[in-house]
Amino acid sequence: MVDVSTRGERHHAADRIEERLGVFVRRFEDPHAETAGNGPLHGVTLGIKDVFATREAVPTAHSKVHDADWHRGRDAVAVRRLRAAGAVPLGLTTAGEHALGRPDPALPFPVPRNPWDPDRYPGGSSSGSAAGLVHGFFDVGLGTDTGGSIRIPAALCGVTGIKPTHGLVPTAGSRPLAPSLDTVGTLARTVREAARALGVAAGRHTPEPEWLTGLDGVRIGVPDRALEEAGQLSPDCRDAFDTALERLRDQGAKIVSVDLPELYPLFAAQLITLLAEGFHTHGAGLRSRWDQYGRPFRRTLVLGGLIPASAYVHAQRVRAWGAAGLRRRLDRIDALATPTWPGTAPRYDDPAGLAAVSWLPSLWSAVGFPAVALPMGFDPAGLPLSLQLAGTPGTDRALLAVADAYQRHTDWHLRTPGPLPVTRPAPVALPQGAPSEADAQRQLGEALRRAGVAVPEAELAEFTGQWQLTEMLFGFLPELPDPASDTDDDN
């Protein structure tokens, strides 16, 4: 139960530091005027990602290109359920444009900042829903996760984020990006707070797991070879992860090594699916209103218009194949552990850090499995590091019980940053891409024109390399048996 006497204090705190953190797109007027009865979330305050419809405001999705009357005056299903349980929505929080990519400072929206260092990125795309928890702006953040958009900001901001089994919480009333990947979930300081809100959003009457007192008999898988071969983890992240595994062992868990042969095929399939479905969702807008989208969004999603239907269909078969293999492998363990992200929050003036991608969160998005991110330590500069635990579909409660057992034996989630710097954060400037070769630029321009999108030459020169990298993804998709060949031979 939340002490409602602290509401006014939180509201004033948000007023004092909001300008430096960019948590809210829109704060609701007098949000406590119509609080619900004594439901299971009575008095719990909510920060709602700017993709969810609320009766107070139409979400902009952090974009100038949106339907200003979409779901006007109505709550998304998840918001309606949380409100009916007594939760109090405080406002819409900052996000990546249409739930994709980093912010563009040229757009007329606040730039979200990391609460541990405002010159750093808080992660996306549920940026404000994670960052606002750290300074107590609200108790629970509502977000969406298509390829890590809950878990990455949770990791970089040092909070807990849950991506449940795909479809557990209805997406109705949230602006779509890639429907076969889009997942609604929750963020909070603790597993228990996030789980309680998640259960309500999912429509469960008994949302909380049977919390464990210890982990005796629990088997935790670790993909040692994949983590070594990827070579992504920073030394600080590797050390914190090893310490987290020791904490799990101390509680009785057995740590076992697990192979992930599906890793790179699923990584490629997830990105192909996101780009293709995202372009299907926003292609008409990109064709007619290119200049009104932010640069990070348009330069990424337009590549989805160049993905052949055959590659998309193949990616869906790979997702099904990969999910079946992971189910068999995870059937012998209770959770699979990795870091959530390979390091800490990048600075906004670090182009390479901002452009980084990782299989760590996207693997579980590709197959729709549940995963939870929770704090596991800090680097020497005082920036958060995060543990990720994943399970098979439908095992959300058991997975959260394991995560809670770990969290109750650590205090990383209880730590808070010092006072924010008095000076304003440095302005954010988008990095310029490297010029491409003339032939590659011409080929990309022609292909985009065939897809119906006219891109200025100056921009083509900067992101031709992105398309060349995207094409490499096709090579990661394995050849699979033709389903038609699996019939019995009558002869």
Side-chain angles (χ1 to χ4, degrees):
M1 188 76 66
V2 173
D3 181 359
V4 296
S5 66
T6 63
R7 290 173 178 168
E9 296 176 18
R10 293 183 180 189
H11 212 62
H12 292 311
D15 287 335
R16 288 194 301 270
I17 59 179
E18 159 64 12
E19 184 178 358
R20 281 180 281 166
L21 285 184
V23 169
F24 286 107
V25 178
R26 177 168 176 176
R27 302 267 298 281
F28 296 157
E29 297 294 330
D30 198 12
H32 304 283
E34 298 182 23
T35 55
N38 291 318
L41 298 181
H42 174 67
V44 170
T45 52
L46 295 177
I48 299 171
K49 184 176 182 177
D50 186 29
V51 298
F52 288 95
T54 65
R55 65 193 191 199
E56 292 89 351
V58 174
T60 68
H62 239 56
S63 181
K64 293 196 292 186
V65 184
H66 67 273
D67 180 351
D69 289 318
W70 184 80
H71 280 257
R72 181 176 292 280
R74 291 184 287 161
D75 282 337
V77 170
V79 175
R80 183 176 72 243
R81 288 174 175 175
L82 292 165
R83 197 193 300 264
V88 183
L90 297 187
L92 297 177
T93 56
T94 48
E97 186 172 12
H98 287 290
L100 179 71
R102 58 189 182 274
D104 185 341
L107 293 177
F109 304 101
V111 173
R113 304 282 184 163
N114 193 293
W116 299 86
D117 179 351
D119 284 327
R120 293 179 182 269
Y121 183 39
S125 61
S126 304
S127 308
S129 293
L133 293 166
V134 178
H135 284 283
F137 287 7
F138 38 80
D139 302 306
V140 171
L142 186 64
T144 59
D145 192 312
T146 302
S149 290
I150 285 174
R151 290 161 290 150
I152 296 171
L156 301 188
C157 293
V159 299
T160 300
I162 304 172
K163 184 200 84 69
T165 296
H166 182 262
L168 182 68
V169 181
T171 57
S174 64
R175 292 192 185 272
L177 174 59
S180 76
L181 299 170
D182 295 345
T183 305
V184 175
T186 53
L187 306 96
R189 295 304 297 267
T190 69
V191 172
R192 293 198 181 198
E193 289 173 311
R196 185 165 55 137
L198 178 68
V200 170
R204 304 284 179 86
H205 296 294
T206 55
E208 294 189 1
E210 295 182 6
W211 303 116
L212 303 173
T213 57
L215 296 178
D216 290 336
V218 172
R219 292 168 60 86
I220 307 290
V222 177
D224 294 299
R225 182 184 302 175
L227 291 173
E228 290 299 325
E229 289 178 351
Q232 279 190 309
L233 303 189
S234 71
D236 294 320
C237 183
R238 181 75 240 191
D239 290 346
F241 181 60
D242 290 341
T243 300
L245 296 180
E246 285 301 316
R247 292 292 181 94
L248 291 165
R249 286 191 187 94
D250 291 344
Q251 294 180 68
K254 182 177 181 180
I255 308 298
V256 297
S257 183
V258 176
D259 285 331
L260 287 182
E262 305 90 352
L263 171 58
Y264 290 108
L266 285 174
F267 182 45
Q270 188 271 336
L271 287 173
I272 289 169
T273 302
L274 188 156
L275 291 171
E277 292 187 7
F279 185 81
H280 178 76
T281 301
H282 295 285
L286 288 168
R287 292 184 180 101
S288 62
R289 303 175 67 180
W290 175 266
D291 290 338
Q292 295 184 47
Y293 287 98
R295 275 176 51 206
F297 178 83
R298 69 196 188 209
R299 289 168 55 184
T300 299
L301 203 58
V302 72
L303 300 178
L306 305 182
I307 293 175
S310 58
Y312 174 79
V313 171
H314 191 184
Q316 306 321 298
R317 292 187 61 213
V318 169
R319 290 173 67 190
W321 163 82
L326 284 172
R327 278 179 183 271
R328 288 192 298 271
R329 206 160 292 107
L330 270 62
D331 184 58
R332 298 187 291 273
I333 62 176
D334 298 287
L336 190 140
T338 66
T340 309
W341 192 249
T344 55
R347 291 179 58 87
Y348 267 122
D349 58 6
D350 174 13
L354 290 173
V357 295
S358 174
W359 62 267
L360 293 167
S362 64
L363 174 65
W364 309 111
S365 295
V367 292
F369 288 15
V372 55
L374 61 164
M376 68 174 184
F378 291 82
D379 76 350
L383 297 171
L385 294 159
S386 180
L387 172 68
Q388 180 175 234
L389 298 173
T392 53
T395 63
D396 301 66
R397 294 188 185 189
L399 180 67
L400 294 174
V402 172
D404 173 73
Y406 166 81
Q407 193 166 74
R408 284 187 294 105
H409 286 78
T410 65
D411 67 353
W412 307 120
H413 60 292
L414 301 176
R415 303 196 183 186
T416 56
L420 290 175
V422 175
T423 57
R424 290 174 178 245
V428 172
L430 290 178
Q432 301 293 315
S436 60
E437 295 182 2
D439 285 347
Q441 181 180 331
R442 178 181 53 77
Q443 291 172 10
L444 176 59
E446 291 176 354
L448 287 172
R449 282 190 287 275
R450 288 195 295 272
V453 185
V455 178
E457 287 190 14
E459 285 194 64
L460 283 175
E462 293 180 17
F463 72 94
T464 302
Q466 289 178 252
W467 170 239
Q468 293 170 326
L469 291 174
T470 304
E471 284 190 307
M472 290 175 58
L473 295 174
F474 300 155
F476 286 118
L477 299 181
E479 292 296 327
L480 299 176
D482 184 348
S485 68
D486 292 339
T487 56
D488 292 333
D489 187 353
D490 292 335
N491 298 323

